[in-house]
mmCIF file of all heavy atoms in Angstrom:
data_model
loop_
_atom_site.group_PDB
_atom_site.id
_atom_site.type_symbol
_atom_site.label_atom_id
_atom_site.label_comp_id
_atom_site.label_asym_id
_atom_site.label_seq_id
_atom_site.Cartn_x
_atom_site.Cartn_y
_atom_site.Cartn_z
ATOM 1 N N LEU G 361 10.092 17.441 35.081
ATOM 2 C CA LEU G 361 8.862 17.221 34.392
ATOM 3 C C LEU G 361 8.297 18.451 33.866
ATOM 4 O O LEU G 361 7.974 19.517 34.575
ATOM 5 C CB LEU G 361 7.773 16.752 35.465
ATOM 6 C CG LEU G 361 6.391 16.284 34.908
ATOM 7 C CD1 LEU G 361 6.497 15.072 34.023
ATOM 8 C CD2 LEU G 361 5.367 16.021 36.084
ATOM 9 N N THR G 363 5.680 19.315 32.365
ATOM 10 C CA THR G 363 4.235 19.660 32.655
ATOM 11 C C THR G 363 3.968 19.903 34.125
ATOM 12 O O THR G 363 2.763 19.965 34.491
ATOM 13 C CB THR G 363 3.380 18.579 32.006
ATOM 14 O OG1 THR G 363 3.863 17.283 32.330
ATOM 15 C CG2 THR G 363 3.304 18.763 30.502
ATOM 16 N N CYS G 438 1.611 11.905 42.015
ATOM 17 C CA CYS G 438 2.344 12.591 40.929
ATOM 18 C C CYS G 438 1.438 13.206 39.920
ATOM 19 O O CYS G 438 1.864 14.202 39.359
ATOM 20 C CB CYS G 438 3.153 11.515 40.236
ATOM 21 S SG CYS G 438 4.256 10.653 41.213
ATOM 22 N N CYS G 439 0.273 12.624 39.713
ATOM 23 C CA CYS G 439 -0.501 13.103 38.444
ATOM 24 C C CYS G 439 -1.609 13.950 38.520
ATOM 25 O O CYS G 439 -2.210 14.417 37.546
ATOM 26 C CB CYS G 439 -0.924 11.750 37.688
ATOM 27 S SG CYS G 439 0.439 10.608 37.394
ATOM 28 N N CYS G 444 0.695 18.176 37.970
ATOM 29 C CA CYS G 444 0.994 17.919 36.600
ATOM 30 C C CYS G 444 -0.224 18.455 35.748
ATOM 31 O O CYS G 444 -1.306 18.054 36.097
ATOM 32 C CB CYS G 444 1.235 16.501 36.330
ATOM 33 S SG CYS G 444 1.578 16.134 34.432
ATOM 34 N N LYS G 446 -0.954 17.825 32.791
ATOM 35 C CA LYS G 446 -1.655 16.821 31.802
ATOM 36 C C LYS G 446 -2.862 16.225 32.488
ATOM 37 O O LYS G 446 -2.893 16.091 33.719
ATOM 38 C CB LYS G 446 -0.658 15.670 31.400
ATOM 39 C CG LYS G 446 0.395 16.173 30.334
ATOM 40 C CD LYS G 446 1.171 14.908 29.881
ATOM 41 C CE LYS G 446 2.453 15.328 29.152
ATOM 42 N NZ LYS G 446 3.251 14.137 28.920
ATOM 43 N N ARG G 448 -4.453 12.908 33.174
ATOM 44 C CA ARG G 448 -4.114 11.504 33.040
ATOM 45 C C ARG G 448 -5.253 10.761 32.443
ATOM 46 O O ARG G 448 -6.325 10.652 32.985
ATOM 47 C CB ARG G 448 -3.807 10.973 34.445
ATOM 48 C CG ARG G 448 -3.340 9.459 34.470
ATOM 49 C CD ARG G 448 -3.007 8.942 36.001
ATOM 50 N NE ARG G 448 -4.116 9.321 36.882
ATOM 51 C CZ ARG G 448 -5.191 8.645 36.844
ATOM 52 N NH1 ARG G 448 -5.404 7.581 36.008
ATOM 53 N NH2 ARG G 448 -6.142 8.879 37.758
ATOM 54 N N TRP G 450 -4.364 7.484 31.364
ATOM 55 C CA TRP G 450 -4.077 6.064 31.649
ATOM 56 C C TRP G 450 -4.671 5.512 32.976
ATOM 57 O O TRP G 450 -4.725 6.323 33.827
ATOM 58 C CB TRP G 450 -2.522 5.731 31.568
ATOM 59 C CG TRP G 450 -1.596 6.623 32.520
ATOM 60 C CD1 TRP G 450 -1.098 7.734 32.141
ATOM 61 C CD2 TRP G 450 -1.325 6.287 33.797
ATOM 62 N NE1 TRP G 450 -0.295 8.211 33.249
ATOM 63 C CE2 TRP G 450 -0.432 7.355 34.246
ATOM 64 C CE3 TRP G 450 -1.625 5.261 34.718
ATOM 65 C CZ2 TRP G 450 0.080 7.391 35.602
ATOM 66 C CZ3 TRP G 450 -1.077 5.316 36.006
ATOM 67 C CH2 TRP G 450 -0.311 6.386 36.462
ATOM 68 N N CYS G 469 -2.487 12.924 29.023
ATOM 69 C CA CYS G 469 -1.195 12.022 29.335
ATOM 70 C C CYS G 469 -1.618 10.564 28.898
ATOM 71 O O CYS G 469 -2.601 10.067 29.470
ATOM 72 C CB CYS G 469 -0.897 12.066 30.821
ATOM 73 S SG CYS G 469 0.443 10.884 31.224
ATOM 74 N N GLU G 471 0.458 7.777 28.801
ATOM 75 C CA GLU G 471 1.182 6.712 29.451
ATOM 76 C C GLU G 471 1.954 7.283 30.638
ATOM 77 O O GLU G 471 2.372 8.349 30.658
ATOM 78 C CB GLU G 471 1.993 5.807 28.461
ATOM 79 C CG GLU G 471 3.318 6.360 28.204
ATOM 80 C CD GLU G 471 4.227 5.436 27.316
ATOM 81 O OE1 GLU G 471 3.629 4.730 26.588
ATOM 82 O OE2 GLU G 471 5.332 5.481 27.577
ATOM 83 N N PRO G 472 2.269 6.418 31.624
ATOM 84 C CA PRO G 472 2.987 6.859 32.792
ATOM 85 C C PRO G 472 4.444 7.349 32.257
ATOM 86 O O PRO G 472 4.993 6.637 31.453
ATOM 87 C CB PRO G 472 3.228 5.647 33.559
ATOM 88 C CG PRO G 472 2.082 4.756 33.330
ATOM 89 C CD PRO G 472 1.681 5.043 31.924
ATOM 90 N N CYS G 473 4.786 8.593 32.575
ATOM 91 C CA CYS G 473 6.009 9.233 32.153
ATOM 92 C C CYS G 473 7.221 8.530 32.827
ATOM 93 O O CYS G 473 7.066 7.791 33.828
ATOM 94 C CB CYS G 473 5.979 10.676 32.364
ATOM 95 S SG CYS G 473 5.936 11.211 34.107
ATOM 96 N N VAL G 476 7.414 9.212 36.674
ATOM 97 C CA VAL G 476 6.541 8.387 37.483
ATOM 98 C C VAL G 476 7.088 6.928 37.452
ATOM 99 O O VAL G 476 7.084 6.272 38.551
ATOM 100 C CB VAL G 476 5.173 8.449 36.961
ATOM 101 C CG1 VAL G 476 4.338 7.256 37.276
ATOM 102 C CG2 VAL G 476 4.469 9.733 37.360
HETATM 103 S S1 SF4 P 777 2.391 10.180 34.299
HETATM 104 FE FE1 SF4 P 777 1.428 11.575 35.667
HETATM 105 S S2 SF4 P 777 3.097 13.114 36.223
HETATM 106 FE FE2 SF4 P 777 3.768 12.002 34.340
HETATM 107 S S3 SF4 P 777 3.119 13.178 32.707
HETATM 108 FE FE3 SF4 P 777 1.370 11.757 33.117
HETATM 109 S S4 SF4 P 777 0.074 12.790 34.417
HETATM 110 FE FE4 SF4 P 777 1.952 13.929 34.437
#
Side-chain angles (χ1 to χ4, degrees):
Chain G
L361 182 67
T363 45
C438 306
C439 304
C444 179
K446 280 189 192 171
R448 181 181 53 74
W450 55 266
C469 171
E471 75 173 37
C473 66
V476 160

